[in-house]
Amino acid sequence: MSEDETLIDRIYEAAFVPEEWRDTLAALAARFGSRDGALGIMSETDLRWAATERCAAAMSTIVDDVSLREILQGDLRMQRLVEMDHPGFVQANDILTSEELTADTFQGFLRNNGIEWQATTLVPLPSGATGWFSFERTAEAGRYEDTQLAQLDELRPHLARAALMAARLGMERAQTTVSALAALGLPAAVLTDTGRVLIGNALFEALSQLFLPVAFGGLAVADPSANTLFQETITASRFSREPLVRSIPVKPASGREAAVVHVLPLRRSAHDIFSGADILVVTTEVSTEANILSSRLLSGLFDLTPAEARLAAALSSGKSLRLAAAEMGIGFGSARTYLARIFAKTGTNQQSQLVALLKSAQPMQS
């Protein structure tokens, strides 16, 4: 198993065993030459976070004095990230001017704790809450390289799914299969690595228009394109391969809304919590209440890279592939390569099908 595959296992474990976040973030920080790492989940009424040991100690000192929420809400980089609508990691120092960095309250907090450089991303969640991940370096360590940001982007879909689970569980440890499925508040079921359903919650059982029973206790998605991806993901999990995609778009149809089916591996101690199950299937509906901007929406729904998300957003707005490529500053051949990857991740094979699918997600925008 590669280093990144081990990290992916740890990310999904921490989703259900939040006391593992500190060591998982430390492992991620080490992987990318960082001193510290942090995860936060913020809503209108709540703020929860986890961080590496030194970072947690620093953050704890201000929670008692000045609200961490106040600092984050006044954080210029947070405002700029929302404005940028970038579906990936960025080097925070590059999105602020030198004058803004000097005036930024949060940058002052980082510098007071020996941090100069920060790689960060926002993760919009279906509930309307916002998650963020950040990794920090000292001034001596230097800035993050573009290749490192790209590698973080490859892990971002896993981090986003873990943040969704952590937010739904309130950053509390899942105790048992039944209690965890109830606490998620989303349609969910646990499966064996062969795809046999062990147990589902009441919300899952009600989705007879979306999920269909098949032979030997298995499960299928009613939408054929989505089901192809779903079965490929189950098969990949059975043979311990990392599948191409774990968040599967489902087109709306008679009797059901557009939805996304998330397939999460249950690894390490999470495997024990879920009574030896291997896979968790969770469904989120495309909701008009979620305040998510378009390219980050597409990235989150379909596991697209930042470049793929920008191209998909351009195509969904009616632009031709050639025009979208020109506006992105890439060659037509590169755009065709990106489009082929988008087809594979969305279960489509024609641009018209892709645009129709993307438009089904448009109500989710603000």
Side-chain angles (χ1 to χ4, degrees), residues 67-80:
S67 167
L68 182 59
R69 178 191 299 279
E70 277 183 59
I71 289 182
L72 290 172
Q73 289 180 335
D75 179 11
L76 290 175
R77 81 199 61 214
M78 186 76 75
Q79 298 171 24
R80 196 63 45 82

Side-chain angles (χ1 to χ4, degrees), residues 97-120:
T97 66
S98 57
E99 292 80 11
E100 287 173 332
L101 281 171
T102 300
D104 184 24
T105 304
F106 196 68
Q107 185 68 23
F109 165 71
L110 292 175
R111 284 174 171 164
N112 287 340
N113 286 280
I115 292 296
E116 179 63 28
W117 303 97
Q118 184 185 50
T120 187

Side-chain angles (χ1 to χ4, degrees), residues 46 55 132 196 212 266 348 358:
D46 194 26
C55 183
W132 83 89
R196 181 169 61 88
L212 306 174
L266 297 170
T348 56
L358 299 182

Side-chain angles (χ1 to χ4, degrees), residues 114-288:
I115 292 296
E116 179 63 28
W117 303 97
Q118 184 185 50
T120 187
T121 188
L122 295 186
V123 179
L125 301 173
S127 64
T130 298
W132 83 89
F133 288 90
S134 66
F135 298 96
E136 290 86 27
R137 285 179 171 178
T138 62
E140 295 75 20
R143 60 186 289 117
Y144 289 89
E145 299 174 2
D146 289 344
T147 54
Q148 291 175 314
L149 295 178
Q151 289 166 343
L152 278 167
D153 284 343
E154 291 179 3
L155 292 175
R156 186 177 181 272
H158 305 290
L159 292 169
R161 277 184 287 272
L164 171 62
M165 296 300 102
R168 284 286 173 170
L169 293 171
M171 294 284 281
E172 299 293 333
R173 182 187 178 104
Q175 299 299 327
T176 67
T177 303
V178 174
S179 66
L181 291 180
L184 285 173
L186 293 168
V190 290
L191 284 61
T192 66
D193 63 0
T194 62
R196 181 169 61 88
V197 179
L198 295 178
I199 186 175
N201 61 18
L203 294 171
F204 174 82
E205 298 292 343
L207 291 181
S208 58
Q209 298 294 322
L210 178 60
F211 292 109
L212 306 174
V214 295
F216 307 109
L219 189 67
V221 180
D223 174 52
S225 296
N227 188 53
T228 297
L229 286 176
F230 181 71
Q231 300 304 332
E232 288 174 354
T233 302
I234 299 298
T235 300
S237 297
R238 183 185 315 152
F239 294 103
S240 299
R241 299 195 307 266
E242 187 54 38
L244 175 68
V245 58
R246 286 191 180 277
S247 289
I248 300 166
V250 182
K251 297 187 288 291
S254 177
R256 70 166 189 261
E257 301 293 330
V260 184
V261 175
H262 306 280
V263 183
L264 287 74
L266 297 170
R267 302 285 168 78
R268 298 163 62 99
S269 56
H271 179 76
D272 300 327
I273 289 172
F274 285 87
S275 302
D278 301 293
I279 298 166
L280 174 70
V281 175
V282 177
T283 302
T284 55
E285 286 191 348
V286 174
S287 169
T288 56

